[in-house]
Amino acid sequence: MVNTFHRVGNGPHPVIVLHGWFGDANSFRPIEPWLSGKKFSYVFMDYRGYGGMKEVQGKYTIEEIAADTLTLADALGFETFSLVGHSMGGVAMERIAILAPSRVRALFGIAPVPCGGISYDSSTRGMLEDAAQHIEHRRTIIARSTGGRLPESWIEWKAAYSVSQSTPEAFSAYLRAWADSDFTSEINGQHAVKVVVGRHDPTFDAALMTDTYLRRYSNATIDVLADAGHYPMNETPLSLVASMESFLIARASSSDSCNHRQV
């Protein structure tokens, strides 16, 4: 089985994009017109229980996302590729890098969830757990994660979109997957990593990234987007593309130089 996906560009550097808890493969539509299709082949995939895979049953785990991603890469003939992960997709891309380290060229995290889970107080954890069944909790989570500064109409749209593009069973299970997965002891830190966070994101902020990604990976950097919260693809699409592609282009050039020296 190959997960549903869509592709932007046919460039020589494949990039597989992993969506977040409130998203699906179409969550990145605001940035797609500005991507360099001549340099990259971007593939946006759905997880089981989401988007085009909404009716596909699964275990809804990080391990499953990682395995499905590698199956898709095989089907597309991607021997090597870079990974972009938003939110929950961040911990998934770390798992893929562990399972297939030689195939992963670089990791780019967008407000990514780091492996090891997030410690929430009981009230917040309860609200997260109840969000599968209560759309008002989804609205609260989205508003908080973007600093309470975005139009109410957008908050309502984002919450409704997440309801329409995921099953309650998958949404509920994926919370445990991203919040509780811990395989930090398996991370060897060999990959180049860049993470971007929004200045208005109260949880997935520069301090958390410094204590996780920047500590675990020797070649890791961070970008703070001043006008974004947890959803830079919606809030600051051009700034996100600029940050992402400057990193990926540098990685492509570095890989090409290494290959040339080995000839």
Side-chain angles (χ1 to χ4, degrees):
M1 182 203 72
V2 175
N3 292 49
T4 56
F5 68 93
H6 67 274
R7 184 169 181 161
V8 176
N10 291 285
H13 186 161
V15 182
I16 300 177
V17 185
L18 307 169
H19 64 78
W21 193 36
F22 281 83
D24 70 345
N26 290 311
S27 298
F28 300 86
R29 290 292 189 189
I31 72 170
E32 290 183 16
W34 321 119
L35 298 173
S36 177
K38 293 182 179 180
K39 293 183 174 70
F40 303 100
S41 293
Y42 288 97
V43 170
F44 301 82
M45 65 171 274
D46 288 307
Y47 308 148
R48 301 187 195 203
Y50 276 66
M53 299 286 287
K54 187 175 177 181
E55 304 307 319
V56 178
Q57 296 292 312
K59 296 180 180 178
Y60 312 127
T61 63
I62 297 301
E63 199 73 25
E64 183 176 77
I65 293 173
D68 285 348
T69 302
L70 292 171
T71 297
L72 177 58
D74 291 342
L76 294 172
F78 294 167
E79 182 178 351
T80 63
F81 48 87
S82 291
L83 292 166
V84 171
H86 172 244
S87 196
M88 177 172 73
V91 67
M93 72 178 184
E94 288 196 275
R95 190 63 194 160
I96 297 163
I98 288 172
L99 296 177
S102 64
R103 299 184 67 180
V104 176
R105 299 174 69 168
L107 306 174
F108 184 85
I110 306 169
V113 176
C115 171
I118 306 296
S119 292
Y120 290 107
D121 59 66
S122 58
S123 175
T124 300
R125 179 66 186 232
M127 180 176 62
L128 292 169
E129 291 174 347
D130 290 344
Q133 301 294 337
H134 299 284
I135 192 171
E136 65 271 20
H137 290 339
R138 300 194 195 208
R139 296 191 196 103
T140 298
I141 293 165
I142 295 165
R144 288 182 180 178
S145 68
T146 51
R149 42 181 263 290
L150 299 183
E152 184 63 29
S153 58
W154 184 85
I155 302 296
E156 292 178 355
W157 169 82
K158 184 66 175 176
Y161 185 86
S162 73
V163 171
S164 68
Q165 297 302 313
S166 64
T167 66
E169 295 78 16
F171 191 85
S172 179
Y174 282 128
L175 167 63
R176 295 186 293 275
W178 65 257
D180 301 335
S181 293
D182 189 354
F183 43 84
T184 51
S185 63
E186 300 178 60
I187 296 173
N188 63 24
Q190 72 182 54
H191 293 93
V193 177
K194 184 175 183 179
V195 294
V196 296
V197 296
R199 185 170 64 86
H200 300 283
D201 189 335
T203 302
F204 300 95
D205 57 10
L208 178 63
M209 300 303 129
T210 299
D211 193 46
T212 53
Y213 289 98
L214 270 64
R215 180 170 56 83
R216 296 169 183 165
Y217 297 88
S218 59
N219 186 10
T221 58
I222 184 172
D223 231 352
V224 178
L225 302 180
D227 295 324
H230 193 63
Y231 300 94
M233 69 285 291
N234 296 106
E235 300 170 82
T236 55
L238 295 179
S239 295
L240 176 60
V241 170
S243 179
M244 179 173 67
E245 292 204 334
S246 64
F247 169 70
L248 293 175
I249 289 169
R251 292 309 305 160
S253 299
S254 175
S255 297
D256 291 343
S257 296
C258 289
N259 292 336
H260 179 73
R261 287 197 297 270
Q262 291 170 1
V263 172

